[in-house]
Amino acid sequence: MYQRNTIDISRIEEQEKICREIYEIINAAETRPLAMVDTYGCQQNEADSEKIRGYLAEMGFGFTQDEFEADIVVVNTCAVREHAEMRVLGNVGALNHTKKAKPGQIIAVCGCMVQQEHMAQKLKMSYPIVDLVFGPHELWRFPELLHEVLTKHKRIFATAKSDGSVAEGIPLKRDGTVKAWLSIMYGCNNFCSYCIVPYVRGRERSRLPEDILKEARGLVEAGYKDITLLGQNVNSYGKDLDIGTDFADLIRMINDIPGDFLIRFMTSHPKDATEKLFKTMAECEKCAHQLHLPVQSGNDRILKVMNRHYNRAKYIEQIETAKKYMPDLVITTDIIVGFPGETDEEFEDTISLVEKIRYDAMFTFIYSKRVGTPAAVMPDPYTREDKQKHFDRLTEVANRISGEKHKEYIGSEQKVLIDGETGRDEYNLSARTNGGRLVHLKGDPSLIGQFKTVKITDGNTWALYGEME
Ligand code: SAH
Ligand code: SF4
Ligand code: F3S
């Protein structure tokens, strides 16, 4: 059986010591050195970037969004689709200009994309401006790697294959003050046939409940009001720990923390979503009635070749069970269009499923071939144009349904969490309903971080509009 690999806390303390050494090196200059962290991909990557910023802050860096100003640029990459990789490579290439203008600038590229051997190789051969490359498994020792770059003046590549580890105690510098990410597990064991994530993120490994609870308590004490539990498949939380705590139990433990806050989570895999989970969500008053349950396709043959381990009927049954416990449940999904060999008829099954479930929102993707995955070598006779046509049609259906569902809110009262400013005059504040739908409001920015009851006055595909009492 797979042995869970934990990084001893003394090794993280060593990293923090190295942060202080770097502090001495870089803070010799008169002006405070600045760092820019550019993040692509999913919330897990956002959460990883908060750790990178945590370390950088300990090294004494300030932060900037301007790559010309930055003394170090860290690009945290995604590999899930070709488009994401192209954007990363384009933007790393553009750093040629910034490095020319500022020759001492350090450029680091990390994250999922570089964990693929061919990509690390590409950066090594074709992007000489890149000083440091490290995969997700090496993030915990980023200070040590950067220290080597700074003191030995050579390029460092740390992308060895690994099943991954769990490292507690890495400092975090969070982005917001109202909403927070909380990783509860890392990696993925599902090997959906199209997906690169299990290859770059390693095996599933859960953090211990006590470590998660400690972090959650800290977040509540610091005033965070909206906590999203993160994992590629949160429903398999705890399976590797063998301590009898599953994901539903974890939600209940977090719900028991005193305070006024919301618990959200993503992502759930339909193959492991249980009635116990839905019942727990309904019973825990802090758990948002929001479920992101990626279906990927509405056709049984496609689901089978995708290696998803459920079928259309089982998925529909799950949604029905979830709604039985939470009639007001907001449901969202991910769908892939144009999986190798997907026919017109098979695509129609996806459309009919979407019409049946009526998702509040959907994330739709055209299949992207990922080197090394089983789907990459499956016959794929349909053209990009065929796939685009299907994609456009699905988007149209998804947008229509979202618009219709948002219109149903008009006239209702919703308890929302005000979470930020929009930068626009008319509706200057943004908020989220319990189910996670976006609401635009007018009001005083001092209300950010507060729950308020608002009346919904309008809604379209993208958002709701509301008025405060
Ligand atoms: N672990 C999550 C998803 C992570 S990736 C889950 O299983 O639900 C986010 C989404 O990207 C997936 O749900 C899928 O719809 C999409 N995706 C993953 N690999 C893809 C590929 N090769 N081409 C197109 N879309 C892909
Ligand atoms: Fe990818 Fe499937 Fe794992 Fe999600 S569950 S990350 S789609 S392999
Ligand atoms: Fe991308 Fe890695 Fe997330 S591949 S979607 S950043 S886990």
Side-chain angles (χ1 to χ4, degrees):
M1 197 193 140
Y2 163 68
Q3 273 293 309
R4 188 167 170 277
N5 175 20
T6 44
I7 307 291
D8 196 81
I9 189 71
S10 65
R11 303 188 69 188
I12 301 299
E13 284 161 5
E14 244 168 64
Q15 297 301 314
E16 297 196 277
K17 202 172 129 238
I18 298 173
C19 286
R20 290 190 289 277
E21 287 172 29
I22 294 179
Y23 185 93
E24 298 301 324
I25 301 173
I26 59 170
N27 284 279
E30 261 171 33
T31 52
R32 187 179 188 195
L34 295 174
M36 176 175 134
V37 181
D38 195 11
T39 312
Y40 297 78
C42 64
Q43 292 81 1
Q44 327 267 329
N45 250 23
E46 298 284 348
D48 281 353
S49 285
E50 293 180 343
K51 293 181 183 165
I52 295 169
R53 275 196 220 100
Y55 273 141
L56 287 165
E58 292 209 349
M59 294 169 197
F61 282 98
F63 294 91
T64 174
Q65 300 289 349
D66 176 358
E67 63 267 35
F68 281 94
E69 206 179 47
D71 296 280
I72 177 167
V73 179
V74 183
V75 186
N76 191 6
T77 65
C78 171
V80 81
R81 283 170 292 274
E82 191 186 7
H83 178 71
E85 294 189 329
M86 289 301 140
R87 269 182 60 215
V88 166
L89 290 176
N91 289 350
V92 171
L95 294 174
N96 258 315
H97 303 294
T98 62
K99 196 150 181 160
K100 219 174 239 155
K102 201 178 175 103
Q105 187 178 57
I106 303 275
I107 296 174
V109 185
C110 63
C112 296
M113 187 186 93
V114 308
Q115 189 61 36
Q116 307 167 98
E117 216 173 302
H118 68 279
M119 277 298 175
Q121 205 56 26
K122 192 177 190 126
L123 288 168
K124 193 178 251 170
M125 306 311 287
S126 314
Y127 294 78
I129 53 159
V130 175
D131 304 286
L132 170 60
V133 171
F134 61 100
H137 305 306
E138 314 285 343
L139 190 154
W140 66 272
R141 59 186 198 102
F142 165 56
E144 168 188 338
L145 298 168
L146 181 60
H147 190 264
E148 257 186 78
V149 172
L150 289 170
T151 54
K152 300 197 178 135
H153 304 287
K154 61 172 193 186
R155 303 175 80 198
I156 301 284
F157 286 78
T159 57
K161 278 204 169 57
S162 166
D163 282 342
S165 57
V166 176
E168 294 295 342
I170 299 178
L172 275 177
K173 188 168 168 22
R174 295 189 192 270
D175 242 358
T177 52
V178 180
K179 297 196 270 193
W181 309 121
L182 203 181
S183 295
I184 62 163
M185 58 193 299
Y186 310 102
C188 181
N189 286 355
N190 292 318
F191 290 95
C192 301
S193 62
Y194 49 84
C195 184
I196 196 71
V197 171
Y199 302 86
V200 295
R201 285 267 172 183
R203 299 290 62 74
E204 269 174 12
R205 49 224 191 262
S206 306
R207 293 177 69 194
L208 295 173
E210 55 263 39
D211 290 326
I212 297 169
L213 286 171
K214 191 172 147 211
E215 189 170 340
R217 272 187 225 108
L219 289 171
V220 174
E221 272 162 30
Y224 286 93
K225 294 284 186 284
D226 183 319
I227 300 175
T228 303
L229 311 178
L230 294 181
Q232 289 302 345
N233 173 15
V234 290
N235 300 333
S236 55
Y237 173 79
K239 285 187 182 166
D240 57 321
L241 292 175
D242 221 10
I243 53 170
T245 305
D246 67 13
F247 181 53
D249 300 331
L250 184 71
I251 290 186
R252 208 175 276 283
M253 291 181 208
I254 299 174
N255 189 69
D256 284 343
I257 298 173
D260 197 12
F261 65 95
L262 275 174
I263 306 167
R264 305 184 194 276
F265 57 85
M266 64 186 317
T267 299
S268 277
H269 193 304
K271 84 176 167 49
D272 312 300
T274 57
E275 182 161 357
K276 178 180 173 188
L277 170 67
F278 302 138
K279 188 162 180 279
T280 306
M281 287 172 73
E283 286 172 2
C284 291
E285 73 285 358
K286 290 168 195 161
C287 190
H289 288 190
Q290 174 184 13
L291 182 66
H292 182 60
L293 199 64
V295 69
Q296 313 299 358
S297 163
N299 175 268
D300 285 347
R301 186 190 77 83
I302 295 291
L303 286 171
K304 196 163 174 55
V305 277
M306 282 179 163
N307 195 31
R308 290 289 289 181
H309 296 283
Y310 56 85
N311 59 24
R312 178 186 173 105
K314 184 178 168 208
Y315 183 88
I316 293 172
E317 194 188 302
Q318 273 184 344
I319 297 280
E320 280 166 1
T321 309
K323 279 185 136 168
K324 188 179 84 191
Y325 286 103
M326 295 166 284
D328 61 345
L329 184 66
V330 166
I331 303 165
T332 58
T333 202
D334 293 347
I335 288 180
I336 297 178
V337 171
F339 184 84
E342 183 186 54
T343 64
D344 286 348
E345 292 74 40
E346 288 165 341
F347 169 72
E348 289 307 322
D349 285 343
T350 296
I351 294 278
S352 72
L353 181 81
V354 167
E355 293 279 12
K356 181 170 175 63
I357 308 277
R358 292 179 60 78
Y359 293 101
D360 294 80
M362 288 170 41
F363 301 88
T364 50
F365 310 101
I366 292 186
Y367 167 75
S368 173
K369 190 181 198 164
R370 304 288 70 207
V371 176
T373 62
V377 291
M378 291 180 190
D380 193 1
Y382 296 92
T383 62
R384 174 80 199 188
E385 287 68 41
D386 295 331
K387 296 183 183 194
Q388 188 69 46
K389 252 187 240 152
H390 284 170
F391 180 81
D392 293 345
R393 177 124 170 268
L394 181 62
T395 310
E396 223 178 270
V397 173
N399 289 349
R400 170 177 53 76
I401 294 172
S402 292
E404 288 167 2
K405 294 209 85 161
H406 281 164
K407 289 261 185 293
E408 288 166 15
Y409 282 83
I410 298 175
S412 72
E413 292 206 329
Q414 301 285 326
K415 185 180 172 196
V416 301
L417 172 63
I418 301 175
D419 59 12
E421 290 187 77
T422 60
R424 284 185 296 167
D425 289 344
E426 208 191 344
Y427 286 97
N428 60 319
L429 296 179
S430 65
R432 292 276 167 181
T433 64
N434 177 290
R437 308 315 301 144
L438 174 65
V439 185
H440 291 301
L441 295 171
K442 301 169 221 195
D444 195 297
S446 66
L447 295 172
I448 291 171
Q450 293 186 26
F451 288 99
K452 287 271 168 214
T453 301
V454 301
K455 186 159 185 183
I456 303 299
T457 52
D458 202 1
N460 58 30
T461 294
W462 318 111
L464 302 170
Y465 295 82
E467 267 170 22
M468 267 179 266
E469 307 277 276

